[in-house]
Amino acid sequence: MLRTFLKPFVERAVARVLAPHRPTPPSAPRPPREAPVVTGHDHEHEHEHEHEHEHEHAHEPPPADVAAPPARVTVVASETPNPNARKFTASVPVIALGAVSVHAAADAARHPISAALFAIEGVTGVFAVKDFVTVTAAPGADWDALGARVSRTIADVLESAH
C-alpha cells in the first residue's frame, strides 16, 4: 500500500531530475544566444561562434605540438634605503637557488643577468636572489633613465631564458 501511495511522487521527482538532462530534439528551434563578452585581454570585445552543440566557448590553449609564445616578463622598480641602489622585482624567478652578488664588471660573466646589467654604463653592483635584482649605480646616477634600461634588460634576459 505504501508503495502504491509513493509511486506518483517518485515518478514526478525522477522526471524533474531527468528533465534538464534530456537532449533537445534536432527539429526543435533553439533560442538565439547572445555572444559572450570575453575579458582577460587589454580590452573587451564580443566573440561570435557558430556551433552545432550548446557549450560555453573558452579560448583553448594551443595543441601540445605547437610551441606557445614566450611569456612577457614584467619588472617593477622600487627604491631602497640606499640612494645609489634600486630593487627590480620580476614576475618570474631570477635565480632558482642561492644568490648572485657581483661588484666588479670582470666577475659579471658568471651569470647572464649580471653580465647584461654590467654592460649598462653606470652599473657598479648587482645582487640577485629569488625574484628580484638589486642594482647599484655610481653616485648621482640618473635613475629615471638608468632604471628604464635596467628594467628592460632584466626582462629581456629573463624572457630569452624562458
Side-chain angles (χ1 to χ4, degrees):
M1 185 162 150
L2 183 60
R3 186 181 212 182
T4 307
F5 175 76
L6 291 176
K7 186 176 179 182
F9 295 108
V10 172
E11 287 174 349
R12 275 185 281 184
V14 169
R16 272 184 292 203
V17 170
L18 295 179
H21 301 291
R22 289 186 183 145
T24 306
S27 61
R30 292 187 178 160
R33 290 189 318 159
E34 290 185 27
V37 175
V38 178
T39 59
H41 306 294
D42 293 330
H43 59 282
E44 292 186 3
H45 56 276
E46 292 186 5
H47 289 272
E48 292 190 28
H49 301 279
E50 296 296 324
H51 297 285
E52 292 298 319
H53 55 278
E54 295 288 326
H55 74 277
E56 289 297 317
H57 182 79
H59 292 278
E60 294 89 11
D65 61 340
V66 176
R72 185 78 182 137
V73 174
T74 58
V75 177
V76 178
S78 56
E79 292 185 5
T80 69
N82 178 352
N84 298 323
R86 295 290 185 273
K87 178 180 177 183
F88 297 86
T89 304
S91 59
V92 298
V94 175
I95 303 288
L97 296 170
V100 171
S101 183
V102 181
H103 300 284
D107 299 328
R110 65 186 183 148
H111 192 274
I113 290 274
S114 60
L117 292 172
F118 266 94
I120 300 172
E121 186 178 344
V123 172
T124 60
V126 174
F127 173 76
V129 66
K130 296 183 182 178
D131 66 344
F132 73 89
V133 180
T134 300
V135 175
T136 307
D142 176 11
W143 277 106
D144 289 335
L146 186 60
R149 286 190 65 199
V150 168
S151 291
R152 191 170 46 255
T153 300
I154 293 169
D156 289 347
V157 170
L158 294 175
E159 285 172 2
S160 67
H162 285 64

